[in-house]
Amino acid sequence: MLDDLYQDLMLEHAKQPRNFRRIADASADAEGFNPLCGDRVHVYMTLSDGRIDDIAFEGSGCAISTASASMMTEALEGRTREEAQALFRRFRRMVSGEDVEPADQEGLDELRALAGVRRFPMRVKCATLPWHAMLSAIGDGEDDQSVKGEPA
Ligand code: ZN
């Protein structure tokens, strides 16, 4: 039952993605490409004092990457760089099938709709693609798992 609800939420975001637009005067932006699935995403952000004032994306990809990008923009608006990085780590643990302690679920909210990809290892990169683009936009040196530029 809960799975069905989450599935619906995921499909709803995929069909009508939030913040699907380009930010013309973005202060940070980056593209990501997932050759395993063909997903492309371009993430735009307006940062001021290290806080994400506005975040949006464009691109074309599968339902999972689109829904993940849509939910990510909603989850990150108003957060600091550090909070965005921390939320990414929790999100990645969740979609890779690692346990996320209840105390450590802050901010995951709707993103839980994507937890099901843990059963499909090939799709984990679809879910994390927009996040990797977001991390390279904010200049996160820790992001060594970017799928960008990897051979197909
Ligand atoms: Zn995909």
Side-chain angles (χ1 to χ4, degrees):
M1 184 63 191
L2 200 58
D3 272 2
D4 288 349
L5 281 177
Y6 277 153
Q7 176 88 350
D8 288 349
L9 184 61
M10 199 271 282
L11 291 173
E12 208 264 315
H13 273 270
K15 248 188 273 177
Q16 293 197 308
R18 320 294 194 268
N19 302 303
F20 189 81
R21 61 191 155 86
R22 189 167 79 90
I23 300 175
D25 55 350
S27 53
D29 75 291
E31 288 178 270
F33 174 54
N34 172 14
L36 296 172
C37 179
D39 310 311
R40 287 180 191 279
V41 65
H42 196 148
V43 173
Y44 303 90
M45 278 185 279
T46 309
L47 291 151
S48 62
D49 294 332
R51 194 172 287 276
I52 300 168
D53 276 350
D54 194 12
I55 175 166
F57 78 104
E58 280 184 330
S60 63
C62 66
I64 291 167
S65 68
T66 305
S68 182
S70 171
M71 290 177 186
M72 176 186 79
T73 60
E74 292 201 315
L76 294 185
E77 196 182 331
R79 286 184 187 263
T80 64
R81 242 191 199 97
E82 291 71 28
E83 288 167 349
Q85 289 161 345
L87 184 56
F88 166 68
R89 288 191 288 270
R90 296 198 285 278
F91 177 72
R92 186 175 57 190
R93 281 211 300 279
M94 177 184 75
V95 294
S96 353
E98 291 171 46
D99 288 331
V100 184
E101 298 298 318
D104 212 12
Q105 304 228 355
E106 188 274 322
L108 287 177
D109 306 324
E110 288 199 335
L111 291 163
R112 290 196 186 90
L114 295 164
V117 303
R118 59 173 61 190
R119 294 195 300 268
F120 309 98
M122 292 286 288
R123 309 313 294 277
V124 172
K125 285 194 174 182
C126 301
T128 56
L129 177 72
W131 294 79
H132 285 296
M134 177 280 292
L135 292 174
S136 33
I138 62 177
D140 180 358
E142 288 176 47
D143 180 32
D144 52 5
Q145 296 196 14
S146 174
V147 292
K148 233 167 127 180
E150 273 178 24

